[in-house]
Amino acid sequence: MADARDSAPERAAVWLVPVVRGALALVPSAVITFSQDHSPELGLTVFGAWAVAAGVIVGALAARLVADRTARWIFVANGVLTAAAGLTALGLRDTVSAGVGGVGVFAYTVAVWAAVTGILELVAGLRGRGRVAAARDWVAAGGLTCLLALVYVLIPLDPVTAVGLLGAYFVVLGVLLLIGGFSLKWAASRPVGTGDAASGSERS
């Protein structure tokens, strides 16, 4: 009974979580792509604004729509951590503008956020394999975010490359999540099969 109760809201609307998250990711990618300023200050501003908005919105959506209890709390925690990272980035912007830290502060801020939230999303995805339809997308998004952290930590980057790399990450993440989210929606709207005809009222 608990499994049926938990899976129904996920089939109905959980696709909104990756779709909204993907749409939000495309906003900073567009700002970075069309901006001629690729300074650390811009990077911190764009990342900070995105992180605060995405952390609050996606965390709230996950709390309501993700049926798996552990995954739900992982995504809520990721939302809180992302919003906190955004506030930190916005707070560090004035420090970087004053000439302290530069690209190192930007890269370190993004790398710490990416490492922590990427690992948590990977855990949610690996734990949910075979049970949760979105698990594969969580693994892909978590792995991509961890890769971003590794690049920022292991490769010395100039400001233009560092900020541009963040923009590229947002493009790939946004497209990945939109495809995954709409795939969940379309899969949930398909007929379950002849054997489940009597359960037609449970279809999303």
Side-chain angles (χ1 to χ4, degrees):
M1 293 294 292
D3 291 341
R5 185 174 63 249
D6 287 346
S7 63
E10 185 172 74
R11 287 199 305 269
V14 73
W15 62 272
L16 283 171
V17 178
V19 167
V20 170
R21 187 179 167 201
L24 287 171
L26 293 180
V27 175
S29 72
V31 173
I32 292 173
T33 298
F34 294 107
S35 175
Q36 308 229 345
D37 175 16
H38 278 52
S39 65
E41 294 94 323
L42 175 78
L44 287 168
T45 301
V46 172
F47 172 75
W50 166 82
V52 171
V56 172
I57 295 171
V58 176
L61 282 175
R64 290 180 59 87
L65 300 177
V66 175
D68 182 84
R69 181 177 300 175
T70 301
R72 178 169 63 245
W73 287 112
I74 285 176
F75 279 100
V76 170
N78 262 4
V80 172
L81 291 170
T82 297
L87 292 173
T88 301
L90 293 174
L92 290 171
R93 179 182 52 189
D94 293 337
T95 301
V96 172
S97 297
V100 180
V103 68
V105 170
F106 166 71
Y108 181 78
T109 302
V110 176
V112 171
W113 163 81
V116 174
T117 60
I119 289 171
L120 285 174
E121 189 162 7
L122 268 176
V123 169
L126 293 172
R127 181 186 171 279
R129 283 186 305 177
R131 298 185 301 104
V132 181
R136 183 173 60 180
D137 297 325
W138 296 343
V139 170
L144 178 67
T145 305
C146 287
L147 179 61
L148 177 70
L150 285 174
V151 171
Y152 273 132
V153 169
L154 299 178
I155 301 176
L157 299 171
D158 59 83
V160 173
T161 305
V163 176
L165 184 63
L166 181 65
Y169 161 78
F170 279 131
V171 169
V172 176
L173 181 69
V175 171
L176 173 69
L177 291 172
L178 286 173
I179 292 173
F182 284 117
S183 296
L184 284 175
K185 176 177 170 58
W186 296 329
S189 65
R190 288 194 205 109
V192 178
T194 55
D196 295 315
S199 303
S201 61
E202 293 182 2
R203 296 175 192 166
S204 303

